[in-house]
Amino acid sequence: MNKLKASVSNEGKFPRIDANLSGGCGLAVNLSIIFDEPRRHDIILENKGVQIRIDHFTKRYLNEEIHIDYTDEQGFLLGEHFESGPCTIEMT
Amino acid sequence: MVEYNELIFEMSRQGRIGSSLPESDVDKVDLHDKLPAHLIRDMPAELPEVSELQLIRHYTALSNKNHGIDNGFYPLGSCTMKYNPKINEDVARFEGFSRIHPYQPVETVQGALKLLHELQEDLAEVTGMDAVTLQPSAGAQGEWTGLMMVKAYFEQKGEKRIKVLVPDSAHGTNPASATVAGFKTVTIPSNEDGLVDLAELKKHVGHDTAALMLTNPNTLGLFEKDIVDIAKVVHEAGGLLYYDGANANAILGKTTPGNMGFDIVHLNLHKTFTTPHGGGGPGAGPVGVKEKLIPYLPVPRIEKENDQYVLNSHHPLSIGRVKGYYGNFGILVRAYTYIRTMGPVGLRQVSESAVLHANYLRKKLEPYFESPYSQYCKHEFVLSGSRQKKLGVRTLDMAKRLLDFGYHPPTIYFPLNVEECMMIEPTETESKETMDAFAEAMIQIAKEVEENPDVVLEAPHTTIIGRLDEVQAARQPILRYSKEE
Ligand SMILES: Cc1ncc(COP(=O)(O)O)c(C=O)c1O
């Protein structure tokens, strides 16, 4: 959380949970934490004074609960639970 | 008209059957006397019980829901979804082609072998290669076949070369084929023009480089203009150049991979040469090679000895057989028919029109979508949905919305180096009117994103099944019908 707070609002960029698709043969959804500008109709979650943005599209790919962690080696981690490894949903 | 809305299992009525068999005159056998208990089912198979007419109507209605090139525009980039002329089908059904058997003595199938031999020669000419095998049955299998030849070639020379270089814009099958063939793949980043970064390439090329796999034009639809220098860098290091011919529709009759310096080529007959796209069905990925790789071609090879066509397996350095019999014969007949009906002038017109169409459509759409590369494209082009992303709408949403207009969406999220990518390939067989109508639909969607995004976010609206829950489908797929669930 402190790491998130520290990273907030440098140059009008805000933390966001973002789903990105990659295709080719089938589609995979990758979830990650990024810092960027607000998008229209963002949903804003607030936790311990930190606002996190999610766009309409990303919301589809998130469960009710989502955990965020930070380690120096791996940066921000995102998952339903961390044993599940990288947060990727394969859709083929 | 019967609409498809029920599963065939749900139409089932106990005891209803589609055929009447005579009373069995064979004595009943107790399965338990014949088979071990664990192999005998304890529940009857839940097979649907319907009449023949119900069955026909059900599957006909279902097939009418399918989108194919015969009923609509299909700008699926990298897949060259062009019209498959019906004359190909007629010729493939000639008795002399459809009623022969691979085990027949070669003297009795000389016509079929002649066709295959001529097709090999035609494809060698189109690609600028010295010999061709017709065996592989898909692009990916062609890649693997080519790489196995690369491996055999270096083994024969006593050189240990383990790396295959692949640009980041390459199709996923390139690194996959290299890995299956036992190589290590190294990704070469593209430069800001979407082309192979020559400096990066030089960093990675070395004595352990077996080959560079390249698609030209690449999957961004851009011609690798430095191809001669690229080839030189790889060849000077002792490596080979592999051409992924999936995009050959852009260069037919204009230039050849042989001219560009490539040593091995695969073609996708189901793209460039108008044979039907699989949908899991048969494809064909013939592979052409330069002289030095001929000894490694798969066997049996179709050769001409005096006036006879023969199947020759006596090539000791061959990588062996890569497919049952001689490839997907019926598909090869279709490609041969296409080449004969088009002729050299016709084939050149194909690439000219394919390139013109892509540039026409690109220019029409550029004001409405981000266009990451400004140079002229070849047979396809990419747009980015990054502008729409800021408005909370993604490329996937726009692709779903296109279904409402009756179009198959373009390829999306590929290549991976373009954000929110849409890859559009109109092909040479579409009319100006069709491309204009498609452009209008895309422009309308771009306006909807600005003014009325919900209509895009909730699309499709006109399909029998609306927006699917992809996450649930991925996480908890139900792949089998069962009455209980
Ligand atoms: C650039 C490229 N290379 C290779 C392939 C693989 O071909 P196939 O699907 O016939 O295995 C494709 C197919 O989509 C492709 O677009």
Side-chain angles (χ1 to χ4, degrees), chain B residues 78 138-140 143 171 173 219 244 246 268 270-271:
Chain B
S78 198
E143 292 166 25
H171 195 262
T173 51
T219 58
D244 177 335
N268 293 49
H270 44 288
K271 299 185 179 183

Side-chain angles (χ1 to χ4, degrees), chain A residues 24-25, chain B residues 76-80 137-143 169-174 177 215 217-219 244-247 266-271 277-278 283-285 380 411 414 423 425:
Chain A
C25 319
Chain B
L76 191 65
S78 198
C79 294
T80 313
S137 58
Q141 199 192 6
E143 292 166 25
S169 61
H171 195 262
T173 51
N174 290 190
S177 304
T215 314
N218 65 24
T219 58
D244 177 335
N247 291 345
H266 87 258
L267 292 169
N268 293 49
L269 298 190
H270 44 288
K271 299 185 179 183
H277 268 70
E380 67 189 6
T411 297
F414 173 75
M423 185 201 222
E425 180 178 11

Side-chain angles (χ1 to χ4, degrees), chain A residues 40, chain B residues 365 368-369 388 391 393-407 409-410 422 437-457 459:
Chain A
R40 188 171 64 183
Chain B
L365 294 176
Y368 304 90
F369 300 88
Q388 285 75 20
L391 298 175
V393 177
R394 300 291 188 102
T395 287
L396 182 65
D397 302 316
M398 296 190 279
K400 300 275 185 196
R401 179 68 179 135
L402 268 175
L403 301 177
D404 289 333
F405 294 85
Y407 297 118
M422 287 177 259
F438 174 75
E440 262 171 47
M442 289 287 286
I443 293 166
Q444 182 177 328
I445 293 171
K447 289 189 178 143
E448 286 171 351
V449 170
E450 292 180 7
E451 293 157 14
N452 182 16
D454 285 347
V455 73
V456 184
L457 292 169

